[in-house]
């Protein structure tokens, strides 16, 4: 065969392949990424919750796969979102703690999917300070966003909404699916809730949920933080001392309409009277605060569950469900009273682990469970592989599509690296990095040069560090070596990338 002839054949083949692609509707799967903020796996019935039921979210697990070991790289809101957009650890995407501004000029999964022919949208909580890039449509809360009556940013200006934010974000997501997207293209929709983030203001429909029940207390509600390094004792996130009167709804809530305020007054005033009459102290007061806090948190989860159900129903009714990968996760886990805490940040399991359920009809076996160690760092690589788009070599995670198919690769990761930065800062959790393997966890509070080592098999609640125990000397050196290996692999030498124009993609805007 002459060179010219073979080139000609090649061109004909390319043209044919091209005509096949363009003549038919693009059949690549849609990706619906459902994201909540601070939703711990302990508050999902598909994870065996002892405190609530989440029938709609459970559907994703029942019809897909539940991951029992999904970890985050840095357990806090903004940083987790930046990791999911970039597939890079915080020190390489530049967003190491809340208050940073995300550099939208860098490579993101939304831009890569857009170039690959996907339509992209983000609706709800964004929390990265600068404007979204790589999205055809965005309608986002300003900063943290309120639970009621949010003003939201769009490319066309600010839109003021009245109502409950979880419901509004859902209405906007449904409106985009029904009326705003290009139905010839596959989509990535990031549908992201503010709930159940502090200060846990329930929606009007959920104000009286759990009124007549007592929420079971976690085993470690009265943790005394002995047998660990000093940071666990020195934090400021206890149910006992750090929930504010505003958190506990002992003062009037701001930003409500008259009608909303009326419903709130009816729901909360009688409870306040009971509290004042009881005049509680000591453990009884902690128990009361825990009930008050946990119930409001769970009421917020109830609304997320109900609203995700509305979106799942819409996918079913329209037949979109068949070709849509539905992913549910949270930006990190959460302390629902475990260790006596609320909030997140630590490398301890409750906040280091995050829920992850994935439904992909015809591909993922319904009701399957994986204990493979996956991470939020892997999400963008998974999105790209689902779309059949190339995965850039500078992304640091790995697509877990094969894990989803029930075929975990033999060389899948056996350890996870973590790095938390926000100190000094809210809740006073010391900076730390560490490594977790199947059985052990090593944590280094490096500014204090204090260490913890946990044997998760013998001590799943992480109450007793064995770092100084002679029996664990060999484990300790193995874990220290693994920590160094991972710091090297992820290029974490303690420095943080600096961008030339960190704030270039934030515009001032007027009301739309
Ligand atoms: Ca969060």
């Amino acid at each position: 065969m002459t060179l010219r002839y073979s080139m000609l054949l090649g061109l004909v083949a390319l043209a044919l392949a091209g005509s096949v692609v363009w003549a038919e509707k693009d059949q690549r799967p849609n990706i619906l990424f459902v994201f909540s903020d601070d939703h711990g796996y302990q508050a999902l019935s598909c994870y065996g919750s002892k405190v609530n039921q989440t029938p709609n979210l459970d559907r994703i697990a029942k019809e897909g796969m539940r991951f029992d070991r999904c970890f985050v790289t840095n357990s806090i809101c903004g940083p987790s979102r930046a990791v999911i957009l970039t597939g890079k650890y915080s020190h390489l995407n530049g967003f190491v703690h809340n208050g940073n501004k995300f550099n939208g000029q860098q490579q993101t999964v939304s831009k890569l999917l857009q170039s690959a022919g996907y339509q992209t949208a983000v609706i709800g909580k964004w929390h990265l300070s600068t404007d979204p890039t790589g999205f055809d449509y965005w309608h986002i809360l300003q900063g943290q966003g309120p639970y009621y009556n949010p003003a939201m940013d769009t490319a066309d200006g600010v839109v003021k909404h009245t109502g409950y934010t979880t419901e509004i974000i859902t209405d906007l997501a449904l409106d985009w699916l029904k009326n705003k997207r290009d139905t010839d293209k596959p989509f990535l929709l990031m549908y992201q809730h503010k709930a159940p983030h502090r200060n846990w203001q329930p929606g009007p429909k959920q104000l009286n949920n759990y009124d007549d029940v007592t929420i079971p207390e976690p085993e470690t509600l009265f943790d005394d933080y002995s047998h660990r390094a000093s940071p666990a004792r020195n934090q400021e996130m206890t149910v006992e001392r750090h929930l504010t009167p505003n958190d506990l709804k002992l003062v009037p809530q701001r930003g409500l309409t008259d009608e909303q305020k009326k419903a709130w007054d009816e729901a909360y005033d009688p409870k306040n009277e009971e509290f004042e009459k009881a005049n509680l102290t000591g453990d009884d007061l902690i128990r009361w605060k825990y009930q008050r806090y946990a119930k409001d948190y769970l009421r917020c989860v109830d609304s997320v569950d109900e609203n995700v159900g509305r979106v799942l129903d819409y996918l079913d009714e329209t037949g979109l469900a068949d070709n849509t990968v539905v992913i549910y996760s949270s930006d990190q886990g959460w302390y629902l009273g475990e260790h006596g805490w609320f909030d997140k940040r630590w490398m301890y399991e409750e906040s280091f682990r995050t829920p992850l359920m994935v439904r992909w009809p015809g591909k993922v076996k319904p009701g399957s469970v994986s204990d493979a160690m996956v991470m939020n760092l892997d999400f963008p690589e998974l999105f790209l592989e689902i779309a059949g788009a190339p995965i850039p070599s500078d992304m640091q995670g790995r697509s877990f599509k094969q894990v989803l198919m029930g075929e975990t690769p033999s060389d899948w990761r056996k350890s996870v690296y973590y790095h938390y930065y926000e100190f000094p800062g809210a809740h006073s959790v010391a900076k730390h990095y560490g490594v977790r393997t199947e059985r052990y966890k090593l944590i280094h509070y490096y500014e204090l040069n204090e260490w913890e080592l946990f044997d998760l098999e013998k001590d799943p609640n992480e109450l007793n560090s064995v770092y100084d125990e002679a029996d664990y000397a060999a484990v300790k050196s193995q874990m220290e070596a693994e920590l160094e290996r991972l710091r090297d692999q992820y290029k974490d030498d303690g420095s943080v990338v600096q961008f030339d124009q960190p704030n270039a993609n934030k515009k001032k805007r007027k009301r739309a």
Side-chain angles (χ1 to χ4, degrees):
M1 203 188 306
T2 65
L3 181 62
R4 181 175 293 185
Y5 183 61
S6 64
M7 278 175 68
L8 188 67
L9 270 184
L11 283 173
V12 169
L14 267 177
L16 278 174
S19 70
V20 170
V21 168
W22 296 113
E24 288 178 12
K25 187 172 149 56
D26 191 332
Q27 295 293 345
R28 289 177 294 172
N30 305 306
I31 302 166
L32 173 61
F33 182 65
V34 187
F35 205 42
S36 55
D37 194 316
D38 296 355
H39 190 183
Y41 53 84
Q42 312 94 303
L44 273 155
S45 36
C46 59
Y47 281 95
S49 170
K50 294 172 184 155
V51 293
N52 68 336
Q53 292 293 319
T54 48
N56 293 291
L57 295 169
D58 289 2
R59 279 172 60 188
I60 305 171
K62 274 184 196 143
E63 296 163 9
M65 181 176 273
R66 185 189 83 211
F67 288 82
D68 283 353
R69 286 184 187 159
C70 179
F71 299 99
V72 297
T73 69
N74 182 1
S75 180
I76 187 161
C77 312
S80 176
R81 288 153 204 271
V83 167
I84 290 166
L85 286 171
T86 60
K88 292 177 185 171
Y89 270 85
S90 305
H91 62 282
L92 295 186
N93 67 43
F95 202 111
V96 301
H97 55 69
N98 284 342
N100 282 150
K101 294 185 188 326
F102 183 68
N103 177 284
Q105 271 75 50
Q106 65 188 303
Q107 169 181 282
T108 60
V109 69
S110 51
K111 290 183 193 173
L112 293 166
L113 283 174
Q114 217 175 25
S115 323
Y118 268 60
Q119 196 176 24
T120 54
V122 57
I123 295 169
K125 186 161 176 180
W126 174 249
H127 206 213
L128 290 170
S129 192
T130 51
D131 288 349
T133 55
F135 289 94
D136 298 302
Y137 179 82
W138 47 277
H139 200 127
I140 55 171
L141 292 172
Q142 297 178 332
Q144 189 61 254
Y147 270 103
Y148 279 86
N149 312 323
M152 295 177 75
D153 285 344
T154 73
D156 301 322
V158 179
V159 180
K160 183 82 180 85
H161 296 275
T162 303
Y164 189 56
T165 300
T166 304
E167 293 167 9
I168 289 164
I169 290 169
T170 305
D171 292 343
L172 290 168
L174 287 169
D175 181 49
W176 186 81
L177 286 168
K178 288 174 188 170
N179 306 315
K180 289 200 164 70
R181 70 191 173 93
D182 175 353
T183 53
D184 289 334
K185 286 183 174 180
F187 65 78
L188 164 71
L189 170 58
M190 300 181 87
Y191 156 52
Q192 311 197 140
H193 287 290
K194 176 221 168 56
H197 191 281
R198 196 182 187 187
N199 73 333
W200 321 290
Q201 290 185 336
K205 292 170 72 177
Q206 289 85 25
L207 278 168
N208 294 101
N209 291 8
Y210 308 99
D211 269 2
D212 302 323
V213 296
T214 301
I215 309 294
E217 291 168 2
E219 281 175 57
T220 56
L221 180 61
F222 296 97
D223 190 354
D224 63 3
Y225 317 115
S226 55
H227 309 293
R228 264 162 292 168
S230 68
R233 289 189 288 283
N234 295 332
Q235 44 62 42
E236 296 174 356
M237 57 165 74
T238 60
V239 169
E240 179 183 13
R241 287 176 293 125
H242 302 102
L243 287 170
T244 66
N246 189 45
D247 290 332
L248 294 166
K249 319 295 165 4
L250 294 170
V251 294
Q253 302 289 290
R254 290 181 186 169
L256 304 180
T257 64
D258 288 348
E259 193 188 341
Q260 290 160 354
K261 194 174 172 308
K262 190 163 167 279
W264 270 69
D265 286 348
E266 282 169 13
Y268 282 90
D269 269 6
K271 298 175 195 170
N272 292 347
E273 282 168 26
E274 282 165 35
F275 173 62
E276 279 162 23
K277 268 188 228 156
N279 201 16
L280 301 167
T281 55
D283 286 358
D284 289 341
L285 181 59
I286 295 173
R287 292 202 153 97
W288 183 87
K289 287 183 179 181
Y290 167 73
Q291 290 298 321
R292 183 80 155 190
Y293 147 61
K295 286 181 182 184
D296 275 346
Y297 179 91
L298 296 174
R299 288 168 182 138
C300 291
V301 171
D302 285 352
S303 180
V304 171
D305 183 67
E306 181 187 311
N307 279 281
V308 172
R310 290 170 61 205
V311 176
L312 295 177
D313 287 348
Y314 175 76
L315 296 181
D316 286 346
E317 287 156 16
T318 52
L320 267 174
D322 293 341
N323 197 33
T324 300
V325 185
V326 178
I327 300 162
Y328 183 82
S329 191
S330 167
D331 59 349
Q332 11 64 210
W334 184 256
Y335 297 94
L336 193 50
E338 294 84 2
H339 299 293
W341 292 339
F342 63 96
D343 211 70
K344 53 260 182 179
R345 299 163 199 272
W346 301 93
M347 199 190 165
Y348 303 139
E349 290 293 280
E350 292 86 350
S351 52
F352 181 32
R353 256 183 73 190
T354 199
L356 174 67
M357 300 95 77
V358 182
R359 182 181 84 175
W360 190 353
K363 299 271 190 185
V364 176
K365 191 176 162 207
S368 50
V369 177
S370 174
D371 64 1
M373 291 181 169
V374 298
M375 304 170 71
N376 62 346
L377 186 72
D378 304 326
F379 292 1
E381 294 85 345
L382 174 70
F383 298 174
L384 291 167
E385 193 176 6
I386 289 170
I391 299 168
S393 60
D394 62 349
M395 282 190 168
Q396 297 182 303
R398 181 172 176 185
S399 168
F400 50 97
K401 187 177 165 209
Q402 273 183 272
V403 180
L404 276 170
M405 304 294 125
E407 295 159 5
T408 303
S410 57
D411 63 345
W412 192 257
R413 72 167 69 84
K414 303 283 192 290
S415 60
V416 174
Y417 176 63
Y418 181 84
H419 193 160
Y420 172 79
Y421 296 81
E422 196 175 302
F423 186 90
H427 303 296
S428 281
V429 174
K431 291 182 186 182
H432 57 289
Y433 55 66
V435 56
R436 186 205 197 276
T437 59
E438 167 86 25
R439 178 163 174 183
Y440 300 104
K441 185 184 291 180
L442 178 71
I443 304 177
H444 188 201
Y445 301 95
Y446 51 93
E447 289 187 329
L448 306 166
N449 200 24
E450 291 189 57
W451 295 82
E452 286 172 332
L453 176 66
F454 295 103
D455 182 338
L456 299 170
E457 196 176 286
K458 291 189 178 161
D459 177 26
N461 286 332
E462 299 164 292
L463 296 173
N464 183 33
S465 171
V466 292
Y467 186 78
D468 294 319
E469 290 187 17
D471 287 353
Y472 285 89
V475 170
K476 187 169 93 175
S477 8
Q478 281 162 16
M479 292 297 282
E480 284 170 346
E482 182 61 4
L483 180 61
E484 281 317 301
R485 188 187 73 78
L486 291 175
R487 283 176 61 75
D488 191 47
Q489 177 186 328
Y490 293 119
K491 301 183 171 61
D492 188 0
D493 62 5
S495 62
V496 176
V497 67
Q498 297 297 322
F499 294 103
D500 292 342
Q501 293 182 295
N503 310 327
N505 56 316
K506 178 70 181 174
K507 293 192 192 80
K508 290 209 164 158
R509 65 178 60 77
K510 293 180 179 157
R511 196 161 170 159

